[in-house]
Amino acid sequence: MLLSVVIPTYNEAEGIGRFHFNHLLPAIKSAAKKYEIIYVNDGSSDLTLSILDSIAETSPQIKVVNLSRNFGKEIATTAGIYEATGDAIIILDSDGQHPPEIFPEFIKLWKTGAQVVVGVRNSNQSEGVVKNYGSKLFYKLFNTFSESTIVPRSTDYRLIDRAVQEEFKKFDERQRITRGLIDWLGFDREYIYFDSPARLAGEASYSTT
Ligand code: UDP
Ligand code: MG
């Protein structure tokens, strides 16, 4: 089995080295014998790209997709999903808030038949009032008006089977919420609950929820 890991990255120069060498590599090695890592540089204006390029030089299993400008996380993630060639694809943030340490749990559920494994943030975690209110409103509206429903606090941290990737590639929406599209597709789904640590460095630049 080949595991692909897709990582959207925007202005993460400060933390990306630590993310890669201290968190991602040990986790991926304990989860799969064969793997590929796809970093998508989403038009970063700091040193992210040159750091990613030097990280990629350490191993042929690491690939950098460099977007021509900042398109936003959803498009960056989509670009990475298109590049992935694995049997299973794990998508996660590059700031340490999606701990790679739980990769083996994702793989375990995939091996028992799940085609989509969704990372869900534990509810005991504090968030800003505005963000929290915004999230609740988002889920309420989404679940009211959409054909599909999403579990509150489900994140973009998820695994998708190659079959899901094939269907995902058929979407041509430019305005997209990747996790919403993945949910809409259906397939056999499982959930993993996790505590989201603070960013390794810097501040969140963007958020829909
Ligand atoms: N990101 C991206 N393009 C953007 C903004 C963010 O690829 O325009 C990446 C960022 O590097 C991180 C992930 O998307 O890996 C989540 O971003 P952030 O931490 O800013 O948002 P959060 O969802 O944690 O509030
Ligand atoms: Mg973050």
Side-chain angles (χ1 to χ4, degrees):
M1 105 87 157
L2 174 67
L3 171 65
S4 298
V5 178
V6 167
I7 310 162
T9 308
Y10 176 63
N11 288 354
E12 302 285 3
E14 250 185 281
I16 195 74
R18 243 188 310 155
F19 168 78
H20 182 80
F21 292 105
N22 298 355
H23 296 278
L24 182 66
L25 272 190
I28 204 170
K29 285 177 179 164
S30 67
K33 283 203 190 87
K34 288 202 293 173
Y35 62 85
E36 64 177 5
I37 298 171
I38 299 162
Y39 281 105
V40 181
N41 175 47
D42 186 17
S44 298
S45 55
D46 65 1
L47 290 174
T48 296
L49 178 60
S50 51
I51 297 170
L52 288 179
D53 283 341
S54 32
I55 287 174
E57 278 176 20
T58 64
S59 157
Q61 288 140 297
I62 306 169
K63 188 167 173 179
V64 179
V65 175
N66 186 33
L67 301 188
S68 57
R69 66 169 170 86
N70 178 239
F71 284 90
K73 178 184 180 177
E74 309 299 333
I75 297 292
T77 303
T78 300
I81 292 173
Y82 267 75
E83 288 297 316
T85 62
D87 303 296
I89 304 168
I90 292 180
I91 303 149
L92 81 165
D93 288 357
S94 51
D95 60 1
Q97 296 206 270
H98 294 167
E101 286 73 15
I102 60 172
F103 278 2
E105 292 177 46
F106 278 93
I107 300 297
K108 207 161 123 192
L109 289 169
W110 176 73
K111 283 192 171 153
T112 58
Q115 293 165 296
V116 176
V117 184
V118 181
V120 182
R121 259 184 303 117
N122 282 324
S123 59
N124 55 1
Q125 297 196 278
S126 61
E127 281 179 279
V129 175
V130 174
K131 196 165 180 180
N132 213 348
Y133 180 75
S135 297
K136 283 197 183 124
L137 189 66
F138 171 80
Y139 291 119
K140 199 162 186 212
L141 288 173
F142 189 95
N143 289 340
T144 304
F145 294 110
S146 168
E147 292 164 43
S148 55
T149 54
I150 49 183
V151 171
R153 293 181 305 279
S154 45
T155 68
D156 295 321
Y157 189 7
R158 45 185 70 199
L159 176 151
I160 60 172
D161 185 87
R162 179 208 286 273
V164 181
Q165 175 202 27
E166 271 165 34
E167 294 307 313
F168 182 84
K169 281 172 146 183
K170 295 178 185 166
F171 288 120
D172 59 6
E173 276 79 358
R174 284 199 191 171
Q175 296 290 337
R176 48 170 69 203
I177 297 178
T178 310
R179 60 177 179 275
L181 294 178
I182 292 173
D183 285 338
W184 183 85
L185 287 173
F187 289 98
D188 291 331
R189 193 171 322 174
E190 288 290 348
Y191 297 87
I192 291 179
Y193 291 81
F194 71 99
D195 286 327
S196 182
R199 288 184 136 264
L200 286 166
E203 279 171 18
S205 50
Y206 150 103
S207 194
T208 46
T209 58

